[in-house]
Amino acid sequence: MTPVTTSPGRQRASIQLSARRLGYTLIAEASDLGVSARWLSPFERPSLSTWLQRPHAYEAIVWSHVDRAVRSVAHMSDLLEWSRQSSTALVFAMPEDHRPLVVAPQAESNTIRRCMELARAAEQETRAISARLTSTHEVLRATGRYGGGLVPFGYRKAPHPSGMGWCLAPDPETATVVRAIVEDVHAGLSLVTIAHRLETAGVLVPRDRHAQLQGRPTGGRRHGRDFERFRWTAGSLCKILRTPALMGHRVHKGRTVRDAEGSPVLIGPALLTEEEFQALQEALGTRSNGIHPKRRETSPLIGVAHCAGCGGRMYFAARKAYAYGDYVCRASARGATCAAPAAMRADWLEEYAFSRYREAFGTDGGVTRAQLLARGVRVTVGKGRPGGGPERLAGPDTSRLSFTIGSCP
């Protein structure tokens, strides 16, 4: 997804031509720009996945090529099985063959074999590209050159002093923001408060600032929703303040890249000295007592439970000294304000969702998050009333809950 790419336009043209040849009427487009088929299966992509959950709404899906749909044999196998179970045809325009490859729900063995061969070729090509990129980036890291990707907040791309490639230089607009954030941390302000201040001031988050410098529009799609610009959160702030890139270090997987003598490889001038960076880490460290409750292995209602006050997802939060936790509205962590933030005991809410699911689909077995998401289940939780009493321990107030099926995330 770059200002000069022509791929989306070429894909649309191939899809439209194939649709006309087959007598199809296109009813919608699922566009997942900036999403790699290598890492995400069709069922995990923000735009496409919502359509795969409701195959009754159409007869076929058309891609420009097999590698636009999948880049692994395993993902192709899953897609073919979905096609068979949902009675939906798969079409690959295949412009180089001058005729589309149509895979009917009950496809013949020869067609299935060809699909698997094309998926295997796409997988091998992806591995070769990955190996070349890995080798290239190892060289760039060793020489302190910028190899692309999201620029650390406070910096911008600049020509490398050697005349070859790029390095990083302080960004006049955001470098001063970084200094102000550090001062706020030392003044005792919480990261949530600082994030709210940045939102109020209209400061762009790193991803949006990077897009702006590249001449691209800000915002994008996240969790099935479109945003004109992304919001500051305590989590995004913490990532900025914890990275050694603030000292001008080349960073890989969160750690400083070092040369053969053990010295940090520099990719740009430092925004903070080593002493300032260590003082910042100590200030952040004193905010945590180092005791964290044990994480649950699963939270089956993530993406299923939503707050009625803001419509946002609810997330699991552990309770210290309690065996149970809660699903809570996390609007504040997203840098937003919810007029009526909801919360409910996790075991109560899960039992409610599972019971309603079993009733709706006539099953007695266990219920998984994958099943809930595949059916488009959505549980909406309203804000509870204040006050206590024995009746509050009897179970969930179901008047606060609504259960729907077929709602897209």
Side-chain angles (χ1 to χ4, degrees):
M1 186 168 61
T2 67
V4 297
T5 183
T6 60
S7 179
R10 287 185 282 109
Q11 290 182 52
R12 287 190 183 95
S14 296
I15 290 169
Q16 291 165 1
L17 178 60
S18 294
R20 286 196 300 270
R21 286 178 174 176
L22 296 171
Y24 288 153
T25 299
L26 295 177
I27 63 170
E29 176 184 277
S31 178
D32 288 309
L33 296 179
V35 176
S36 172
R38 178 191 180 193
W39 302 113
L40 295 181
S41 79
F43 305 93
E44 298 172 308
R45 294 171 206 159
S47 182
L48 179 59
S49 62
T50 62
W51 284 96
L52 295 179
Q53 292 170 14
R54 43 198 175 106
H56 59 276
Y58 48 90
E59 298 178 8
I61 303 180
V62 187
W63 285 272
S64 62
H65 200 280
V66 168
D67 60 12
R68 299 298 90 191
V70 298
R71 280 187 172 269
S72 80
V73 172
H75 291 169
M76 175 60 83
S77 178
D78 292 341
L79 191 60
L80 291 172
E81 178 62 19
W82 173 88
S83 170
R84 185 185 67 80
Q85 293 184 358
S86 63
S87 299
T88 305
L90 308 176
V91 180
F92 307 104
M94 309 295 287
E96 69 277 13
D97 292 345
H98 304 294
R99 65 176 182 176
L101 170 61
V102 181
V103 185
Q106 303 299 331
E108 297 179 351
S109 58
N110 288 339
T111 302
I112 293 176
R113 188 179 302 112
R114 187 183 179 199
C115 288
M116 299 303 286
E117 289 173 352
L118 290 169
R120 186 175 294 106
E123 184 172 338
Q124 292 172 347
E125 180 188 22
T126 299
R127 288 176 179 171
I129 292 173
S130 177
R132 289 197 297 270
L133 288 175
T134 298
S135 176
T136 299
H137 281 281
E138 285 177 353
V139 173
L140 293 176
R141 284 195 294 272
T143 57
R145 288 159 59 192
Y146 168 68
L150 184 64
V151 174
F153 193 69
Y155 289 93
R156 63 185 304 164
K157 190 171 71 170
H160 195 274
S162 66
M164 298 178 59
W166 302 89
C167 65
L168 299 180
D171 178 8
E173 289 192 26
T174 55
T176 55
V177 174
V178 171
R179 300 292 308 188
I181 293 172
V182 173
E183 292 175 4
D184 286 342
V185 170
H186 287 302
L189 295 182
S190 70
L191 297 186
V192 172
T193 299
I194 298 173
H196 183 70
R197 284 188 171 188
L198 293 171
E199 274 295 308
T200 302
V203 177
L204 295 178
V205 301
R207 180 172 169 180
D208 283 344
R209 176 59 178 166
H210 180 69
Q212 185 184 61
L213 291 173
Q214 297 294 314
R216 294 190 283 108
T218 60
R221 192 171 182 86
R222 180 178 290 171
H223 302 313
R225 297 173 58 196
D226 292 315
F227 296 87
E228 291 185 4
R229 57 182 291 267
F230 293 109
R231 293 180 175 273
W232 283 96
T233 67
S236 61
L237 267 176
C238 189
K239 289 180 181 179
I240 292 171
L241 298 175
R242 291 290 193 182
T243 177
L246 293 175
M247 296 182 288
H249 291 187
R250 184 71 166 93
V251 176
H252 180 58
K253 294 184 178 180
R255 296 180 177 274
T256 296
V257 176
R258 298 184 180 277
D259 59 21
E261 287 73 35
S263 300
V265 174
L266 301 180
I267 197 170
L271 298 182
L272 300 179
T273 66
E274 184 175 349
E275 292 75 17
E276 290 173 329
F277 182 76
Q278 293 303 325
L280 175 62
Q281 304 314 301
E282 292 174 6
L284 293 171
T286 58
R287 301 181 180 213
S288 172
N289 56 15
I291 301 174
H292 301 281
K294 183 179 179 180
R295 289 183 176 269
R296 305 173 91 201
E297 293 184 359
T298 59
S299 296
L301 298 190
I302 300 298
V304 176
H306 292 75
C307 172
C310 62
R313 291 184 177 187
M314 299 177 70
Y315 292 87
F316 179 81
R319 282 197 184 192
K320 290 184 178 180
Y322 287 88
Y324 61 87
D326 304 282
Y327 283 97
V328 299
C329 172
R330 294 295 302 276
S332 61
R334 300 193 302 270
T337 301
C338 179
M344 180 169 282
R345 269 183 59 162
D347 53 348
W348 289 353
L349 189 57
E350 289 169 3
E351 181 55 33
Y352 168 84
F354 296 162
S355 297
R356 293 297 305 274
Y357 180 90
R358 295 188 187 101
E359 292 173 6
F361 297 102
T363 179
D364 295 326
V367 181
T368 65
R369 178 172 179 262
Q371 290 175 309
L372 295 171
L373 293 174
R375 297 284 190 173
V377 170
R378 183 185 182 105
V379 178
T380 304
V381 185
K383 181 177 174 62
R385 61 177 176 81
E391 68 278 3
R392 296 292 296 275
L393 301 177
D397 178 5
T398 55
S399 66
R400 297 168 49 199
L401 305 174
S402 69
F403 180 94
T404 57
I405 299 171
S407 300
C408 296

